[in-house]
Amino acid sequence: MTLNEMIDICRSTRGVLVLVTLLLWSNATRLRADEMTKPCDIVVYGGTAAAVTAAVQARRMGHSVIVISPDQHLGGLTSGGLGWTDTGNPAVIGGLAKEFYQEVFRHYQNEGAWRQQTRANYGKRALGYQANPSDAATMWVFEPHVAEMILERWVDENSLEVVRNQWLDRESGVRSVGGVIESISMLSGETYSGRVFIDATYEGDLIAASGIQTTIGRESTSEFDEPHAGVQPDLDHHHHHFQVLQGPVDPYVIPGDPDSGLLPLISPNPVGAAGSGDRRIQAYCFRMCLTDASDNRVPFAKPDGYDPNTYELLIRCFEQGWRNVFNKFDPLPNRKTDTNNHGPVSFDYLGANYDYPEASYARRREIIRQHEIYQKGLLYFIATDPRVPRDIQAEMNRWGLAKDEFVDNGHWPHQLYVREARRMVGDFIMTENHLRKTLPTPQSIGMGSYAIDSHNTQRYVDDDGHVQNEGDVGVSTNGPYEIAMGAVLPQRAQCTNLVSPVCVSSTHMAFGSIRMEPVFMILGQSAASIASLAIDADTAVQDVPYALVRERLLQDGQVLQTPPGTRIRSKSISRGVSPSMLPGNTIDDNQATRTGNWTTSRSTSPFIGSGYRHDQRRADGKATATFAAALPHSGLYEVRVASPPNINRSTRTKIQVTHADGTSIQSVDQTKSIDHANDATWPISFKRIGTFRFTPDSPAEVMVSNEGADGYVIIDAVNFLAVP
């Protein structure tokens, strides 16, 4: 009975009944509140695939669990359009994640699952993959509704309690005492108590609201000694840069006239110093499910707020010969696609998401809507604007939204691809060097293997007055890598009963690979295992013995080490020499102040640190690197420069030393082997530049420049060694 109904009854009865009725209503309300706050062993906040796998694992380990989902639909990107799975090496995907893809395979063995084409017509991706002959086959491509169906079946089969459309009160909704979360409250007023909490959202809202440290954006190259970190204007990956065009693209409304203003989609801000950190994050987009099946196709419609001028930059790309619009229309079963970003101007909405991670719910909805308008507008523009090349327009009009997908959302994906938001600063921080095996990773709870793949973060105007993209990184991990248990755990002083399988403790670079959906499912299962073992032992999540975690994960089919026989590129065992191992003061290229364009490499060894850099062979004097040292005392120091030799190097690399008596300039031949007259105890040799006097009040600097060079200029390290 509702309160209004009770009031109506009260109006028609004696006063005593009014009091009795109100007391009964108050008691019923209190009972409902008690039910809402009834404690649960594990509370999972989030509706992603990681959230579901975490909940399933908790149930399998005998614990009560509830999933509090901000979304109506479960699965996040896995059911939201990302059906062309970024697997990396499938041999290291185990546990519940593998079970999911095995169920995908079983679904498509049913002939009734093929409506717009046959399984044979679809091709070899429907045949299945087996890491071991004894395994059930897996299939890594699927339609969005199939993924959601499987996850919903898991909910039913495991009798999971799922509460949907519940949004955390991020201001005051976390009740925590002494670093222990007791309950979380939603904007609806509902409260959920638990012993361990799992934040399985893409945004990390529960982590942040619990007072756990988080970070956003890109670290500098020097912060964790990551060669590809920070601003990287010279990396060119997967044809997502303007260099793939036949010529440069003018950024101005009136070509050649800066006073006319910039075209839409171009930032007026400077790109930033190479290697510097910032708060920019990789671009978002929707992974669209399109189809060319006429009976299932919904034509592209003009969205509200459509402005064709938004896409003038794409027209200029067409004018420079670009035609690869359809290169990421990856085929899913039944003549559908997982359509992703591809090219210098595509579905990634660069720069439109910077405030998303910490934005209010209302602001996030605005950002999501802006992405939807941009992306729908781009589809409509290509399909209808007369300036688009006819062959591209004709091809685009073969496609449309899939009528049988996202049926309650206008056939548009219900999940924006939040490639990166907050990341926890936890018990252990995964870095590029852990993924590439130049540093060991302790206490593995799962594996990743996909390349470090971060999308562009900004579009800017370079020094030559041309438009460029920046931030897209594609770096091999040189084989599978382990993920540390500490990467899903907060720092003990901040919280002892939360686990984070999605917004893991990692750098921007490492997250570029860890962020793949199969890895999130792997970590969801591992997070729930840690949570369950913590409850069993009545201890903090940080105190669960790794030996118990490892035993349980292996029992449940997780892959914690690279399986024997897995092919790993030889570069994965390449090691740089740590600057700390060398006598004197050694300044690595990651610590140098750089101008111009430098590209990181590890092709020639030996080298210092995690790699070295080379210029773009322009000999224009714009590429410089200044190595500055804080020397411990006055005196004479021998200055030595490291640069791995190769025949394509410059024979006249300019090196300038600034010392107490002025400056000295030398020309160094970097094609030749470096001197071998150093002390035999050194693990690497250096080229001797000379002996110079330095004092505390004078700069101790070495600048390497590409001015007048006749080949690639290399920077690796500079050493200052005191002369007795």
Side-chain angles (χ1 to χ4, degrees), residues 415-440:
Q415 175 66 59
L416 179 67
Y417 196 170
V418 179
R419 289 188 172 92
E420 175 185 20
R422 295 186 185 95
R423 301 186 307 280
M424 182 173 67
V425 180
D427 202 47
F428 183 89
I429 299 175
M430 295 289 296
T431 72
E432 173 183 354
N433 297 312
H434 296 106
L435 271 59
R436 304 187 77 191
K437 279 77 69 184
T438 58
L439 289 176

PDB file of all heavy atoms in Angstrom, residues 415-440:
ATOM      1  N   GLN A 415      27.045   1.712 -24.754  1.00  0.00           N
ATOM      2  CA  GLN A 415      28.259   1.960 -23.992  1.00  0.00           C
ATOM      3  C   GLN A 415      29.279   2.727 -24.822  1.00  0.00           C
ATOM      4  O   GLN A 415      29.694   2.289 -25.889  1.00  0.00           O
ATOM      5  CB  GLN A 415      28.891   0.634 -23.535  1.00  0.00           C
ATOM      6  CG  GLN A 415      30.221   0.762 -22.823  1.00  0.00           C
ATOM      7  CD  GLN A 415      30.113   1.474 -21.486  1.00  0.00           C
ATOM      8  OE1 GLN A 415      29.380   1.020 -20.596  1.00  0.00           O
ATOM      9  NE2 GLN A 415      30.816   2.582 -21.331  1.00  0.00           N
ATOM     10  N   LEU A 416      29.682   3.904 -24.340  1.00  0.00           N
ATOM     11  CA  LEU A 416      30.795   4.624 -24.946  1.00  0.00           C
ATOM     12  C   LEU A 416      32.092   3.893 -24.613  1.00  0.00           C
ATOM     13  O   LEU A 416      32.241   3.364 -23.504  1.00  0.00           O
ATOM     14  CB  LEU A 416      30.843   6.050 -24.388  1.00  0.00           C
ATOM     15  CG  LEU A 416      31.971   6.963 -24.883  1.00  0.00           C
ATOM     16  CD1 LEU A 416      31.812   7.285 -26.364  1.00  0.00           C
ATOM     17  CD2 LEU A 416      32.006   8.256 -24.054  1.00  0.00           C
ATOM     18  N   TYR A 417      33.030   3.868 -25.564  1.00  0.00           N
ATOM     19  CA  TYR A 417      34.302   3.204 -25.325  1.00  0.00           C
ATOM     20  C   TYR A 417      35.177   4.127 -24.476  1.00  0.00           C
ATOM     21  O   TYR A 417      35.908   4.968 -24.988  1.00  0.00           O
ATOM     22  CB  TYR A 417      34.987   2.872 -26.647  1.00  0.00           C
ATOM     23  CG  TYR A 417      36.104   1.851 -26.536  1.00  0.00           C
ATOM     24  CD1 TYR A 417      36.672   1.293 -27.679  1.00  0.00           C
ATOM     25  CD2 TYR A 417      36.596   1.429 -25.301  1.00  0.00           C
ATOM     26  CE1 TYR A 417      37.683   0.342 -27.591  1.00  0.00           C
ATOM     27  CE2 TYR A 417      37.598   0.492 -25.198  1.00  0.00           C
ATOM     28  CZ  TYR A 417      38.146  -0.046 -26.352  1.00  0.00           C
ATOM     29  OH  TYR A 417      39.153  -0.977 -26.259  1.00  0.00           O
ATOM     30  N   VAL A 418      35.086   3.941 -23.170  1.00  0.00           N
ATOM     31  CA  VAL A 418      35.912   4.691 -22.226  1.00  0.00           C
ATOM     32  C   VAL A 418      37.255   3.970 -22.162  1.00  0.00           C
ATOM     33  O   VAL A 418      37.474   3.107 -21.316  1.00  0.00           O
ATOM     34  CB  VAL A 418      35.241   4.788 -20.843  1.00  0.00           C
ATOM     35  CG1 VAL A 418      36.110   5.550 -19.854  1.00  0.00           C
ATOM     36  CG2 VAL A 418      33.876   5.454 -20.970  1.00  0.00           C
ATOM     37  N   ARG A 419      38.138   4.327 -23.079  1.00  0.00           N
ATOM     38  CA  ARG A 419      39.409   3.604 -23.178  1.00  0.00           C
ATOM     39  C   ARG A 419      40.304   3.795 -21.957  1.00  0.00           C
ATOM     40  O   ARG A 419      41.160   2.961 -21.686  1.00  0.00           O
ATOM     41  CB  ARG A 419      40.172   4.055 -24.432  1.00  0.00           C
ATOM     42  CG  ARG A 419      39.543   3.568 -25.732  1.00  0.00           C
ATOM     43  CD  ARG A 419      40.437   3.870 -26.923  1.00  0.00           C
ATOM     44  NE  ARG A 419      39.922   3.239 -28.127  1.00  0.00           N
ATOM     45  CZ  ARG A 419      39.101   3.813 -28.988  1.00  0.00           C
ATOM     46  NH1 ARG A 419      38.702   5.060 -28.762  1.00  0.00           N
ATOM     47  NH2 ARG A 419      38.677   3.171 -30.051  1.00  0.00           N
ATOM     48  N   GLU A 420      40.074   4.887 -21.247  1.00  0.00           N
ATOM     49  CA  GLU A 420      40.933   5.208 -20.110  1.00  0.00           C
ATOM     50  C   GLU A 420      40.261   6.320 -19.323  1.00  0.00           C
ATOM     51  O   GLU A 420      39.758   7.280 -19.903  1.00  0.00           O
ATOM     52  CB  GLU A 420      42.300   5.670 -20.635  1.00  0.00           C
ATOM     53  CG  GLU A 420      43.266   6.148 -19.593  1.00  0.00           C
ATOM     54  CD  GLU A 420      44.545   6.692 -20.219  1.00  0.00           C
ATOM     55  OE1 GLU A 420      44.528   7.051 -21.421  1.00  0.00           O
ATOM     56  OE2 GLU A 420      45.553   6.768 -19.513  1.00  0.00           O
ATOM     57  N   ALA A 421      40.232   6.176 -18.008  1.00  0.00           N
ATOM     58  CA  ALA A 421      39.695   7.237 -17.151  1.00  0.00           C
ATOM     59  C   ALA A 421      40.638   7.385 -15.953  1.00  0.00           C
ATOM     60  O   ALA A 421      41.811   7.671 -16.130  1.00  0.00           O
ATOM     61  CB  ALA A 421      38.267   6.912 -16.740  1.00  0.00           C
ATOM     62  N   ARG A 422      40.126   7.182 -14.758  1.00  0.00           N
ATOM     63  CA  ARG A 422      41.024   7.147 -13.606  1.00  0.00           C
ATOM     64  C   ARG A 422      41.807   5.827 -13.601  1.00  0.00           C
ATOM     65  O   ARG A 422      41.344   4.808 -14.096  1.00  0.00           O
ATOM     66  CB  ARG A 422      40.240   7.227 -12.299  1.00  0.00           C
ATOM     67  CG  ARG A 422      39.482   8.505 -12.054  1.00  0.00           C
ATOM     68  CD  ARG A 422      38.904   8.425 -10.641  1.00  0.00           C
ATOM     69  NE  ARG A 422      38.050   9.555 -10.301  1.00  0.00           N
ATOM     70  CZ  ARG A 422      36.732   9.559 -10.415  1.00  0.00           C
ATOM     71  NH1 ARG A 422      36.122   8.493 -10.926  1.00  0.00           N
ATOM     72  NH2 ARG A 422      36.021  10.615 -10.056  1.00  0.00           N
ATOM     73  N   ARG A 423      42.985   5.866 -12.996  1.00  0.00           N
ATOM     74  CA  ARG A 423      43.716   4.643 -12.680  1.00  0.00           C
ATOM     75  C   ARG A 423      44.116   4.723 -11.205  1.00  0.00           C
ATOM     76  O   ARG A 423      44.582   5.764 -10.734  1.00  0.00           O
ATOM     77  CB  ARG A 423      44.972   4.488 -13.547  1.00  0.00           C
ATOM     78  CG  ARG A 423      44.685   4.466 -15.025  1.00  0.00           C
ATOM     79  CD  ARG A 423      45.939   4.171 -15.833  1.00  0.00           C
ATOM     80  NE  ARG A 423      47.041   5.060 -15.522  1.00  0.00           N
ATOM     81  CZ  ARG A 423      47.180   6.298 -16.003  1.00  0.00           C
ATOM     82  NH1 ARG A 423      46.245   6.800 -16.817  1.00  0.00           N
ATOM     83  NH2 ARG A 423      48.225   7.042 -15.676  1.00  0.00           N
ATOM     84  N   MET A 424      43.935   3.623 -10.494  1.00  0.00           N
ATOM     85  CA  MET A 424      44.305   3.591  -9.089  1.00  0.00           C
ATOM     86  C   MET A 424      45.825   3.662  -8.943  1.00  0.00           C
ATOM     87  O   MET A 424      46.559   3.083  -9.743  1.00  0.00           O
ATOM     88  CB  MET A 424      43.774   2.298  -8.455  1.00  0.00           C
ATOM     89  CG  MET A 424      44.059   2.154  -6.973  1.00  0.00           C
ATOM     90  SD  MET A 424      43.240   0.707  -6.261  1.00  0.00           S
ATOM     91  CE  MET A 424      44.132  -0.627  -7.082  1.00  0.00           C
ATOM     92  N   VAL A 425      46.283   4.372  -7.917  1.00  0.00           N
ATOM     93  CA  VAL A 425      47.696   4.345  -7.543  1.00  0.00           C
ATOM     94  C   VAL A 425      47.791   3.393  -6.360  1.00  0.00           C
ATOM     95  O   VAL A 425      47.547   3.778  -5.214  1.00  0.00           O
ATOM     96  CB  VAL A 425      48.214   5.752  -7.183  1.00  0.00           C
ATOM     97  CG1 VAL A 425      49.688   5.691  -6.795  1.00  0.00           C
ATOM     98  CG2 VAL A 425      48.002   6.709  -8.347  1.00  0.00           C
ATOM     99  N   GLY A 426      48.073   2.161  -6.652  1.00  0.00           N
ATOM    100  CA  GLY A 426      47.886   1.114  -5.676  1.00  0.00           C
ATOM    101  C   GLY A 426      49.151   0.557  -5.062  1.00  0.00           C
ATOM    102  O   GLY A 426      50.197   1.208  -5.001  1.00  0.00           O
ATOM    103  N   ASP A 427      49.031  -0.690  -4.629  1.00  0.00           N
ATOM    104  CA  ASP A 427      50.093  -1.378  -3.914  1.00  0.00           C
ATOM    105  C   ASP A 427      51.302  -1.644  -4.807  1.00  0.00           C
ATOM    106  O   ASP A 427      52.430  -1.751  -4.334  1.00  0.00           O
ATOM    107  CB  ASP A 427      49.535  -2.700  -3.367  1.00  0.00           C
ATOM    108  CG  ASP A 427      50.339  -3.234  -2.207  1.00  0.00           C
ATOM    109  OD1 ASP A 427      50.652  -2.462  -1.294  1.00  0.00           O
ATOM    110  OD2 ASP A 427      50.673  -4.435  -2.224  1.00  0.00           O
ATOM    111  N   PHE A 428      51.077  -1.770  -6.118  1.00  0.00           N
ATOM    112  CA  PHE A 428      52.140  -1.994  -7.100  1.00  0.00           C
ATOM    113  C   PHE A 428      51.711  -1.313  -8.392  1.00  0.00           C
ATOM    114  O   PHE A 428      50.535  -1.391  -8.768  1.00  0.00           O
ATOM    115  CB  PHE A 428      52.359  -3.489  -7.334  1.00  0.00           C
ATOM    116  CG  PHE A 428      53.494  -3.811  -8.274  1.00  0.00           C
ATOM    117  CD1 PHE A 428      54.774  -3.979  -7.794  1.00  0.00           C
ATOM    118  CD2 PHE A 428      53.275  -3.937  -9.642  1.00  0.00           C
ATOM    119  CE1 PHE A 428      55.828  -4.272  -8.647  1.00  0.00           C
ATOM    120  CE2 PHE A 428      54.314  -4.222 -10.505  1.00  0.00           C
ATOM    121  CZ  PHE A 428      55.602  -4.389 -10.009  1.00  0.00           C
ATOM    122  N   ILE A 429      52.632  -0.651  -9.068  1.00  0.00           N
ATOM    123  CA  ILE A 429      52.298   0.068 -10.294  1.00  0.00           C
ATOM    124  C   ILE A 429      52.921  -0.645 -11.487  1.00  0.00           C
ATOM    125  O   ILE A 429      54.148  -0.773 -11.582  1.00  0.00           O
ATOM    126  CB  ILE A 429      52.795   1.526 -10.228  1.00  0.00           C
ATOM    127  CG1 ILE A 429      52.134   2.262  -9.053  1.00  0.00           C
ATOM    128  CG2 ILE A 429      52.491   2.258 -11.539  1.00  0.00           C
ATOM    129  CD1 ILE A 429      52.656   3.667  -8.833  1.00  0.00           C
ATOM    130  N   MET A 430      52.073  -1.124 -12.378  1.00  0.00           N
ATOM    131  CA  MET A 430      52.544  -1.750 -13.614  1.00  0.00           C
ATOM    132  C   MET A 430      53.022  -0.663 -14.576  1.00  0.00           C
ATOM    133  O   MET A 430      52.367   0.370 -14.736  1.00  0.00           O
ATOM    134  CB  MET A 430      51.423  -2.555 -14.269  1.00  0.00           C
ATOM    135  CG  MET A 430      50.931  -3.746 -13.468  1.00  0.00           C
ATOM    136  SD  MET A 430      52.113  -5.105 -13.388  1.00  0.00           S
ATOM    137  CE  MET A 430      52.227  -5.587 -15.115  1.00  0.00           C
ATOM    138  N   THR A 431      54.151  -0.893 -15.239  1.00  0.00           N
ATOM    139  CA  THR A 431      54.704   0.073 -16.181  1.00  0.00           C
ATOM    140  C   THR A 431      55.016  -0.605 -17.511  1.00  0.00           C
ATOM    141  O   THR A 431      54.951  -1.829 -17.639  1.00  0.00           O
ATOM    142  CB  THR A 431      55.999   0.709 -15.634  1.00  0.00           C
ATOM    143  OG1 THR A 431      57.051  -0.274 -15.668  1.00  0.00           O
ATOM    144  CG2 THR A 431      55.815   1.210 -14.209  1.00  0.00           C
ATOM    145  N   GLU A 432      55.379   0.235 -18.483  1.00  0.00           N
ATOM    146  CA  GLU A 432      55.799  -0.291 -19.784  1.00  0.00           C
ATOM    147  C   GLU A 432      56.930  -1.300 -19.632  1.00  0.00           C
ATOM    148  O   GLU A 432      56.980  -2.320 -20.342  1.00  0.00           O
ATOM    149  CB  GLU A 432      56.259   0.870 -20.675  1.00  0.00           C
ATOM    150  CG  GLU A 432      56.871   0.444 -21.994  1.00  0.00           C
ATOM    151  CD  GLU A 432      57.390   1.609 -22.815  1.00  0.00           C
ATOM    152  OE1 GLU A 432      57.175   2.775 -22.413  1.00  0.00           O
ATOM    153  OE2 GLU A 432      58.023   1.354 -23.859  1.00  0.00           O
ATOM    154  N   ASN A 433      57.817  -1.074 -18.691  1.00  0.00           N
ATOM    155  CA  ASN A 433      58.969  -1.956 -18.528  1.00  0.00           C
ATOM    156  C   ASN A 433      58.592  -3.316 -17.972  1.00  0.00           C
ATOM    157  O   ASN A 433      59.268  -4.310 -18.245  1.00  0.00           O
ATOM    158  CB  ASN A 433      60.011  -1.273 -17.638  1.00  0.00           C
ATOM    159  CG  ASN A 433      60.546  -0.007 -18.269  1.00  0.00           C
ATOM    160  OD1 ASN A 433      60.920   0.007 -19.432  1.00  0.00           O
ATOM    161  ND2 ASN A 433      60.550   1.089 -17.508  1.00  0.00           N
ATOM    162  N   HIS A 434      57.511  -3.388 -17.191  1.00  0.00           N
ATOM    163  CA  HIS A 434      57.028  -4.690 -16.748  1.00  0.00           C
ATOM    164  C   HIS A 434      56.396  -5.452 -17.916  1.00  0.00           C
ATOM    165  O   HIS A 434      56.594  -6.661 -18.069  1.00  0.00           O
ATOM    166  CB  HIS A 434      56.017  -4.529 -15.617  1.00  0.00           C
ATOM    167  CG  HIS A 434      56.596  -3.922 -14.379  1.00  0.00           C
ATOM    168  ND1 HIS A 434      56.334  -2.622 -13.993  1.00  0.00           N
ATOM    169  CD2 HIS A 434      57.444  -4.418 -13.447  1.00  0.00           C
ATOM    170  CE1 HIS A 434      56.976  -2.357 -12.881  1.00  0.00           C
ATOM    171  NE2 HIS A 434      57.668  -3.428 -12.523  1.00  0.00           N
ATOM    172  N   LEU A 435      55.633  -4.734 -18.733  1.00  0.00           N
ATOM    173  CA  LEU A 435      54.983  -5.399 -19.863  1.00  0.00           C
ATOM    174  C   LEU A 435      56.006  -5.904 -20.869  1.00  0.00           C
ATOM    175  O   LEU A 435      55.817  -6.961 -21.484  1.00  0.00           O
ATOM    176  CB  LEU A 435      54.000  -4.442 -20.545  1.00  0.00           C
ATOM    177  CG  LEU A 435      52.568  -4.430 -19.992  1.00  0.00           C
ATOM    178  CD1 LEU A 435      52.534  -4.056 -18.525  1.00  0.00           C
ATOM    179  CD2 LEU A 435      51.684  -3.497 -20.803  1.00  0.00           C
ATOM    180  N   ARG A 436      57.092  -5.173 -21.037  1.00  0.00           N
ATOM    181  CA  ARG A 436      58.115  -5.551 -22.025  1.00  0.00           C
ATOM    182  C   ARG A 436      59.217  -6.403 -21.410  1.00  0.00           C
ATOM    183  O   ARG A 436      60.206  -6.717 -22.060  1.00  0.00           O
ATOM    184  CB  ARG A 436      58.692  -4.296 -22.678  1.00  0.00           C
ATOM    185  CG  ARG A 436      57.619  -3.414 -23.329  1.00  0.00           C
ATOM    186  CD  ARG A 436      58.218  -2.282 -24.115  1.00  0.00           C
ATOM    187  NE  ARG A 436      58.721  -2.771 -25.396  1.00  0.00           N
ATOM    188  CZ  ARG A 436      59.490  -2.040 -26.203  1.00  0.00           C
ATOM    189  NH1 ARG A 436      59.864  -0.834 -25.828  1.00  0.00           N
ATOM    190  NH2 ARG A 436      59.901  -2.534 -27.340  1.00  0.00           N
ATOM    191  N   LYS A 437      59.030  -6.761 -20.134  1.00  0.00           N
ATOM    192  CA  LYS A 437      59.914  -7.681 -19.426  1.00  0.00           C
ATOM    193  C   LYS A 437      61.305  -7.136 -19.186  1.00  0.00           C
ATOM    194  O   LYS A 437      62.249  -7.895 -18.962  1.00  0.00           O
ATOM    195  CB  LYS A 437      60.004  -9.043 -20.134  1.00  0.00           C
ATOM    196  CG  LYS A 437      58.845  -9.979 -19.846  1.00  0.00           C
ATOM    197  CD  LYS A 437      57.594  -9.647 -20.594  1.00  0.00           C
ATOM    198  CE  LYS A 437      57.739  -9.920 -22.065  1.00  0.00           C
ATOM    199  NZ  LYS A 437      56.519  -9.505 -22.811  1.00  0.00           N
ATOM    200  N   THR A 438      61.507  -5.837 -19.213  1.00  0.00           N
ATOM    201  CA  THR A 438      62.787  -5.276 -18.808  1.00  0.00           C
ATOM    202  C   THR A 438      62.849  -5.131 -17.290  1.00  0.00           C
ATOM    203  O   THR A 438      63.918  -4.881 -16.740  1.00  0.00           O
ATOM    204  CB  THR A 438      63.038  -3.913 -19.467  1.00  0.00           C
ATOM    205  OG1 THR A 438      61.988  -3.011 -19.122  1.00  0.00           O
ATOM    206  CG2 THR A 438      63.087  -4.063 -20.978  1.00  0.00           C
ATOM    207  N   LEU A 439      61.701  -5.275 -16.613  1.00  0.00           N
ATOM    208  CA  LEU A 439      61.630  -5.362 -15.158  1.00  0.00           C
ATOM    209  C   LEU A 439      60.764  -6.564 -14.803  1.00  0.00           C
ATOM    210  O   LEU A 439      59.780  -6.858 -15.502  1.00  0.00           O
ATOM    211  CB  LEU A 439      61.019  -4.094 -14.550  1.00  0.00           C
ATOM    212  CG  LEU A 439      61.863  -2.814 -14.581  1.00  0.00           C
ATOM    213  CD1 LEU A 439      61.051  -1.648 -14.022  1.00  0.00           C
ATOM    214  CD2 LEU A 439      63.154  -2.982 -13.802  1.00  0.00           C
ATOM    215  N   PRO A 440      61.098  -7.263 -13.716  1.00  0.00           N
ATOM    216  CA  PRO A 440      60.282  -8.426 -13.323  1.00  0.00           C
ATOM    217  C   PRO A 440      58.963  -8.002 -12.699  1.00  0.00           C
ATOM    218  O   PRO A 440      58.858  -6.928 -12.101  1.00  0.00           O
ATOM    219  CB  PRO A 440      61.169  -9.136 -12.305  1.00  0.00           C
ATOM    220  CG  PRO A 440      61.998  -8.039 -11.707  1.00  0.00           C
ATOM    221  CD  PRO A 440      62.249  -7.064 -12.827  1.00  0.00           C
TER     222      PRO A 440
END
